[in-house]
Amino acid sequence: MRKLLLLLLMFPFALMGQDISQEEMAQGYAMKDDVATFLFNEELYGITSPKRVVLTGSFRGWSGDMEDTNWQLKKVSKVLWSLSVKNPNFEQIPPRAEFKFRINEGEWMNPPANTPNEKGSNYVYMQDMVAPRLQAEIRRSGNIWVEFEGVERPLFPSDYTLTNAEGQELPIAEVLPHEEHSALVVPKEKIDIRRVYWIEAKDSKLKSWASYDGWFREIYSTKELGANVAKDGSSTAFRLFAPRAESIELFVYKGKDDEKAEAVYEMKVDEDGVWEHIIEGNQAGLWYDFVVHGSTDPGNHFYETEAVHISDPYCRVSDDTWGKCMVAPATQPATPLANGRPPMQDVIAYEVHVQDFTDLLPVSDDMKGTLPAFVEGGLKNSKGEPVGFDYLTDLGINTVHLMPIQEFLHYPTDIWKASFKDDEFMIEAGISEENYQWGYRTSHAFAVETRFRQRGTSPGSEREQFRDLVEAFHQKGIAVIIDIVPNHSAENMDDDRKDRRQYHFHWNVLDKQYYYRTKDLDHIGEYGNEIKFEERPMVQRWLIDQCKHWIEEFGIDGFRIDLAGQVDRQTLIKLRKELGEDIIIYGEPWIGSNDPDFEENPSWDWYKHNSPITYFHDDSRNAFKGPTGNPQVKEADQGYAGGNYKEIEKVKAGLTKTFPTDKNALSGINYLDIHDNWALADRFAHEDWNGHKGVDEDRFKIAAVLLYTSLGPIVTHGGTEMMRSKASAELKETVKVMNNGTKVFLHGKRDTYNMRNANHFLWENVGKTHKDGPNDYANMYAYWRGLNKFRMSEIGASLRMVGPAPDGYYKWIEHVNPYQLGYVIDDKIFVLINTGSDEHDWESITLPQGEWKMIGNNEAFNHLKGVKDKDRSLRTIKGGESFKVELPGKSVRVWAKVE
């Protein structure tokens, strides 16, 4: 590596008139005057000739646009790419901004090992520099707190200019110092703390909006929010939190389609910003919405600026996101699991989307894609094989992980259908008739997704239908967790990042500055907006309230938190404590905030090393089966299971949960593929990365054994056990435009979030063998079922540990070359793997004393009966005696000690 860097210093950058040091190469950029040159070295990443390299980061809103030539690097030598960015006064890229490189179709590249400026898997630009900065916040007293960085703090009223939103200058009475860089600015006259003000330090010309953090971080209420019927039915209370609103009207209607309200009520506000109106009697079934009034200052979206009615963020029933909400009583929860929730170390989760799972089930049309279809028993395909609920409950998993079922944004069906009803591409993708979505655009966090309700049933029925789903799984001894998306909301979620529409469902109107992270009064964020938890007690409460709602009203058992890295660490710690230790919680640690204050605060920002929850273990995933990006070369992109012997040490760390970020076996949850990754069947396809054409089932099973013999919890992608493929979606991005001008991006099989047919469970494949086609679906299902039963067995308890594992818990069998791996776990489980293509002989192996039974090989996995093997001498092994194993290429053998 040192020789490579020296060569790079000699040649590639003569045209730039500057020498590149090893430190600059390692940090990913070099500086000269006001130009930042970003550097991508293929060798440092261990890749060869990517098609393109793109720079993205917080300064681009973490844009995923790979086509923007302004951010594409150019190849300047055999292994080096560069991009020069003019950055005078750090106008484009501020100090301490985080960045990353993406290659090919969008694969994220983590910084190489030992990167000096790495933070949370990102590079940091000018990490040690403190740029001049003024921050200001208005207090409830009407005074303004100022803090300076990088410049001296002024101390006289004449040193400042204070203006309102109309540009009028307001006189200042006094400036009172606090600490060395902070002071309190006192206006001469009382100011309205709900309004927008700007303050400027004249000498440094630093200017800042006076944020509301000074009182927002302290304002809090314990009152029940939303529309709630009293337990005795005597009244119904409506409450909203909107601290800067000037007045709010409650509109009530008899029907959801009524244009004229039955009544309009002026709501009253308390000192904590909670607006309330109480109507006598049980108003369940009543429809309602609100009008919120306030100033027209920049950044506000009150009725005076946006003449809209808004819905209730706490409502139990939403009218398909758009329009009114319905008053609904609390739901009675499902019966708890008879034996309690599985502890985290026991979790075998099965991630699945309601519509994907049920679309092709043999049920009536009114049930397809719905919650009742998910738990319909007795269903069989044309071969007589159980499908749907019976198929899943027989698989051996103990936790169903449902992709989002909270009400989420769909584009209205009438506009969508009119736009694409004759579009051949959309017809073929199965999305010409409706805007299919996975659901990562939550609009109402307390409501069950409307479109999962059985058609023909009344609004609100989806709540009982979801409760019944939980009940059905609980009766089978299976926990139910749901995927929540609290880090961004549906109000700014158009696919076109350059020109996102701003919707006004509720939070943008109630107070964008309270509910979201903003810059200069406008949204920030890779996904249109970022919900702000830090310094916002009522948003923190909103997250806890919604989780308790799903537990108390439906009886669910836990949560997967989407992009949890954007929720501050203190809020997650509080959530974990509030919900109780038996609630299952795991989430994604990646994709940081676009707010530099969040990223630089160690109490808020977090990553795997200090994660407050169990995180998705991408390091194990990459080692076992390869990275998530588009595969190019099988030997490199299928991980250790595919023959990438360079991953062997990382495989060991993944098995034992001993990566540097791991504290114990519960630090991360291991997995192979998940909804927004390539399907495992396509990654291990024989040709064209298309699992329908045939899967390398031997390597597929090696990956499965690696996962199932690793410590701690695991999560599997629904359908992987039946080699579900997404290859009907092409590997390219397609852009469509709705009749209203909204762009719709379809990312192909690298991310099939809005492509319906590609995600289908093909139930007719269940029971098929090689006699019926290229894949033995029946055998793979049986194999996966065997792995689940093994992991939950008494012998499998050796893997279900809290950890950290003691020294010697995994004993590695010496190997001739890194294609082969052997290990004994807890002196009870013995695994041999050959990821090479050729046979390998293990000349002398000695196991601990006792009798050892083969329970798994390439053909089958059965810890109870054992498995047959061509080498009869290996079916039972006597511990303490040396034996030889001839292991064919691409094969695996597993033994268990007989007690």
Side-chain angles (χ1 to χ4, degrees):
M1 185 64 69
R2 184 176 180 82
K3 289 181 179 179
L4 170 67
L5 290 172
L6 289 173
L7 286 171
L8 290 173
L9 293 182
M10 293 172 62
F11 298 110
F13 281 95
L15 58 96
M16 294 176 53
Q18 74 179 103
D19 292 331
I20 304 301
S21 69
Q22 293 186 31
E23 180 182 0
E24 289 171 327
M25 189 70 70
Q27 71 184 16
Y29 70 93
M31 289 294 301
K32 184 177 182 182
D33 300 327
D34 61 359
V35 176
T37 299
F38 292 89
L39 309 167
F40 182 88
N41 183 343
E42 295 178 13
E43 290 288 344
L44 290 179
Y45 282 89
I47 64 171
T48 304
S49 298
K51 291 188 296 184
R52 56 185 164 182
V53 180
V54 173
L55 175 71
T56 191
S58 57
F59 48 88
R60 290 189 65 200
W62 291 104
S63 171
D65 185 355
M66 299 291 290
E67 305 296 335
D68 189 340
T69 56
N70 293 318
W71 299 102
Q72 291 179 350
L73 282 71
K74 295 182 179 179
K75 197 162 190 177
V76 294
S77 78
K78 185 177 180 180
V79 296
L80 196 64
W81 300 64
S82 78
L83 171 67
S84 294
V85 179
K86 289 185 178 180
N87 197 31
N89 301 316
F90 302 101
E91 292 171 359
Q92 282 224 69
I93 307 174
R96 302 199 292 268
E98 297 187 22
F99 69 94
K100 215 165 196 162
F101 298 107
R102 302 184 77 179
I103 66 171
N104 298 324
E105 300 300 323
E107 178 182 347
W108 294 90
M109 304 301 294
N110 289 338
N114 302 317
T115 295
N117 55 326
E118 185 270 343
K119 177 189 175 186
S121 81
N122 296 326
Y123 290 95
V124 181
Y125 173 71
M126 303 294 287
Q127 63 177 343
D128 298 323
M129 180 178 179
V130 178
R133 183 185 186 199
L134 165 62
Q135 283 185 287
E137 56 185 43
I138 192 168
R139 299 297 172 95
R140 293 187 83 173
S141 64
N143 298 321
I144 296 174
W145 186 268
V146 292
E147 294 197 16
F148 290 84
E149 291 183 63
V151 296
E152 186 177 348
R153 171 207 56 200
L155 273 178
F156 295 98
S158 59
D159 295 328
Y160 295 87
T161 301
L162 177 64
T163 55
N164 62 19
E166 287 78 33
Q168 298 171 324
E169 187 171 337
L170 307 177
I172 297 171
E174 190 58 271
V175 177
L176 305 173
H178 178 60
E179 294 178 340
E180 186 176 352
H181 296 288
S182 59
L184 189 68
V185 176
V186 182
K188 279 189 176 181
E189 297 182 3
K190 187 79 171 178
I191 60 177
D192 184 346
I193 63 172
R194 297 173 296 182
R195 303 295 297 274
V196 170
Y197 300 92
W198 296 86
I199 190 164
E200 182 177 5
K202 295 178 181 178
D203 287 346
S204 63
K205 296 184 179 179
L206 293 175
K207 188 175 182 180
S208 173
W209 159 58
S211 77
Y212 308 107
D213 294 349
W215 57 293
F216 278 179
R217 70 169 62 95
E218 297 177 0
I219 192 169
Y220 186 76
S221 175
T222 59
K223 288 183 179 178
E224 188 176 34
L225 299 178
N228 297 285
V229 178
K231 290 184 178 179
D232 62 1
S234 60
S235 63
T236 302
F238 298 81
R239 297 189 188 92
L240 283 173
F241 175 72
R244 290 197 307 122
E246 296 178 1
S247 66
I248 298 182
E249 297 164 312
L250 166 66
F251 288 69
V252 297
Y253 311 82
K254 286 186 177 180
K256 68 175 183 178
D257 297 322
D258 291 358
E259 293 185 6
K260 186 176 180 180
E262 184 180 45
V264 180
Y265 303 98
E266 289 285 339
M267 302 182 79
K268 294 182 178 180
V269 66
D270 66 15
E271 63 181 4
D272 295 320
V274 174
W275 298 79
E276 177 183 84
H277 184 76
I278 298 174
I279 301 177
E280 290 186 2
N282 183 340
Q283 301 298 327
L286 190 74
W287 294 84
Y288 67 104
D289 59 22
F290 305 95
V291 164
V292 183
H293 298 278
S295 80
T296 59
D297 285 356
N300 291 349
H301 298 272
F302 300 123
Y303 190 82
E304 285 64 29
T305 302
E306 308 288 344
V308 296
H309 287 231
I310 68 163
S311 56
D312 179 1
Y314 268 72
C315 75
R316 289 184 172 89
V317 177
S318 163
D319 181 24
D320 201 20
T321 294
W322 308 85
K324 309 171 184 71
C325 295
M326 189 184 83
V327 178
T331 309
Q332 294 301 306
T335 306
L337 286 160
N339 296 317
R341 297 178 172 113
M344 194 66 191
Q345 64 269 23
D346 286 2
V347 167
I348 305 176
Y350 184 92
E351 185 209 42
V352 60
H353 183 260
V354 169
Q355 189 169 358
D356 296 348
F357 190 81
T358 60
D359 250 354
L360 300 185
L361 286 175
V363 295
S364 57
D365 288 344
D366 65 312
M367 288 182 64
K368 290 182 182 294
T370 70
L371 296 161
F374 205 103
V375 290
E376 181 76 6
L379 302 178
K380 297 182 184 296
N381 66 9
S382 63
K383 296 179 74 71
E385 296 288 337
V387 295
F389 183 68
D390 294 343
Y391 164 99
L392 184 51
T393 55
D394 187 55
L395 183 57
I397 51 99
N398 62 12
T399 303
V400 169
H401 161 169
L402 294 174
M403 289 166 66
I405 55 89
Q406 296 168 304
E407 184 74 33
F408 55 87
L409 173 65
H410 292 85
Y411 296 119
T413 298
D414 55 347
I415 298 175
W416 184 273
K417 193 171 180 178
S419 302
F420 303 124
K421 60 184 178 65
D422 298 320
D423 187 303
E424 291 185 7
F425 178 91
M426 303 296 270
I427 293 170
E428 187 174 345
I431 51 176
S432 60
E433 297 294 307
E434 67 166 305
N435 175 216
Y436 162 91
Q437 295 280 344
W438 275 339
Y440 294 95
R441 305 169 10 148
T442 304
S443 61
H444 297 81
F446 296 77
V448 177
E449 167 53 40
T450 308
R451 299 192 186 193
F452 291 161
R453 181 176 74 236
Q454 183 174 353
R455 285 173 286 283
T457 59
S458 60
S461 300
E462 64 272 10
R463 297 182 65 79
E464 285 71 30
Q465 290 169 15
F466 177 65
R467 187 270 320 281
D468 293 345
L469 178 150
V470 178
E471 179 73 27
F473 277 108
H474 279 192
Q475 292 301 319
K476 294 290 186 178
I478 296 173
V480 177
I481 70 173
I482 64 171
D483 201 336
I484 62 173
V485 192
N487 55 290
H488 58 269
S489 83
E491 300 206 33
N492 305 78
M493 284 294 293
D494 276 348
D495 291 327
D496 187 0
R497 292 182 173 89
K498 294 180 180 178
D499 187 26
R500 283 193 171 107
R501 293 170 183 267
Q502 187 143 244
Y503 300 117
H504 300 92
F505 301 127
H506 36 254
W507 278 1
N508 270 336
V509 173
L510 287 170
D511 201 339
K512 181 167 73 174
Q513 308 309 323
Y514 187 90
Y515 289 101
Y516 296 106
R517 297 183 188 124
T518 61
K519 180 182 179 182
D520 296 334
L521 301 167
D522 205 359
H523 284 294
I524 60 174
E526 162 69 352
Y527 298 98
N529 56 57
E530 291 184 16
I531 291 172
K532 186 173 177 67
F533 300 89
E534 67 286 353
E535 302 186 300
R536 299 293 189 269
M538 292 298 282
V539 181
Q540 188 177 88
R541 179 190 151 183
W542 167 80
L543 175 58
I544 295 168
D545 281 352
Q546 67 175 278
C547 291
K548 287 185 174 180
H549 171 84
W550 292 96
I551 294 168
E552 294 168 0
E553 296 204 13
F554 299 99
I556 71 164
D557 306 291
F559 306 91
R560 179 262 190 188
I561 305 178
D562 183 67
L563 298 184
Q566 290 191 350
V567 181
D568 76 283
R569 188 167 183 267
Q570 301 308 313
T571 294
L572 291 174
I573 290 172
K574 174 70 172 175
L575 178 71
R576 173 77 276 176
K577 295 289 186 183
E578 283 283 330
L579 298 187
E581 291 303 316
D582 67 326
I583 294 295
I584 300 164
I585 303 179
Y586 54 84
E588 295 175 304
W590 38 74
I591 304 290
S593 170
N594 280 330
D595 183 349
D597 291 330
F598 178 93
E599 290 294 306
E600 292 171 19
N601 189 327
S603 292
W604 298 342
D605 188 32
W606 60 275
Y607 196 54
K608 292 184 285 189
H609 67 283
N610 64 343
S611 176
I613 60 173
T614 296
Y615 57 82
F616 272 79
H617 216 315
D618 55 331
D619 293 313
S620 299
R621 172 203 69 198
N622 293 347
F624 293 165
K625 65 88 188 179
T628 59
N630 296 335
Q632 306 290 321
V633 181
K634 290 183 179 181
E635 291 75 11
D637 296 332
Q638 293 179 341
Y640 189 70
N644 187 352
Y645 64 87
K646 296 178 182 179
E647 297 290 333
I648 189 167
E649 293 304 320
K650 292 181 180 179
V651 165
K652 291 179 180 180
L655 290 167
T656 57
K657 293 285 184 67
T658 53
F659 281 99
T661 56
D662 290 324
K663 296 186 288 289
N664 53 52
L666 302 186
S667 293
I669 186 166
N670 279 351
Y671 67 109
L672 296 175
D673 59 340
I674 214 71
H675 65 268
D676 53 3
N677 294 174
W678 271 61
L680 201 65
D682 296 326
R683 183 166 293 274
F684 284 99
H686 284 305
E687 58 179 296
D688 298 332
W689 308 107
N690 185 338
H692 294 302
K693 294 182 177 181
V695 174
D696 189 335
E697 295 173 30
D698 291 327
R699 294 199 183 280
F700 198 96
K701 289 174 179 175
I702 290 173
V705 169
L706 288 171
L707 175 66
Y708 276 82
T709 57
S710 66
L711 296 182
I714 63 173
V715 57
T716 62
H717 180 210
T720 296
E721 76 289 341
M722 61 188 283
M723 295 182 283
R724 185 162 71 112
S725 167
K726 299 180 183 180
S728 66
E730 298 180 18
L731 184 55
K732 68 176 183 179
E733 186 165 279
T734 301
V735 181
K736 297 291 182 178
V737 182
M738 292 170 58
N739 289 348
N740 64 2
T742 301
K743 290 183 180 179
V744 178
F745 287 75
L746 299 114
H747 299 310
K749 67 180 174 182
R750 74 174 176 87
D751 183 9
T752 55
Y753 77 99
N754 57 357
M755 303 189 72
R756 183 177 182 179
N757 287 352
N759 295 314
H760 278 152
F761 278 65
L762 302 179
W763 293 112
E764 283 301 303
N765 284 340
V766 177
K768 287 183 178 180
T769 68
H770 283 306
K771 294 179 181 179
D772 305 301
N775 293 321
D776 192 338
Y777 296 104
N779 176 264
M780 189 61 75
Y781 175 82
Y783 198 90
W784 223 268
R785 183 177 182 276
L787 285 168
N788 285 324
K789 300 293 185 182
F790 153 73
R791 193 168 177 96
M792 292 309 301
S793 68
E794 185 176 346
I795 190 70
S798 294
L799 302 164
R800 307 191 314 270
M801 67 179 305
V802 175
D807 291 341
Y809 198 78
Y810 278 68
K811 296 182 177 69
W812 309 108
I813 306 297
E814 293 298 326
H815 45 77
V816 174
N817 65 58
Y819 284 111
Q820 285 78 41
L821 179 62
Y823 46 100
V824 178
I825 309 168
D826 193 24
D827 287 340
K828 296 176 182 177
I829 303 166
F830 173 43
V831 181
L832 277 183
I833 294 173
N834 180 8
T835 66
S837 299
D838 301 322
E839 179 181 301
H840 175 71
D841 296 343
W842 302 74
E843 294 293 341
S844 179
I845 300 175
T846 304
L847 296 177
Q849 293 288 340
E851 182 178 325
W852 293 76
K853 175 177 65 176
M854 185 183 289
I855 62 171
N857 55 20
N858 285 47
E859 284 69 46
F861 208 104
N862 190 319
H863 77 281
L864 292 174
K865 297 180 179 179
V867 298
K868 296 179 179 180
D869 195 81
K870 293 179 180 179
D871 189 340
R872 293 176 177 270
S873 66
L874 297 178
R875 294 182 185 178
T876 302
I877 296 173
K878 188 173 183 181
E881 297 181 0
S882 177
F883 63 97
K884 177 181 178 180
V885 177
E886 295 177 354
L887 206 60
K890 302 193 302 182
S891 63
V892 59
R893 301 290 184 272
V894 183
W895 291 262
K897 189 175 179 180
V898 180
E899 298 294 338

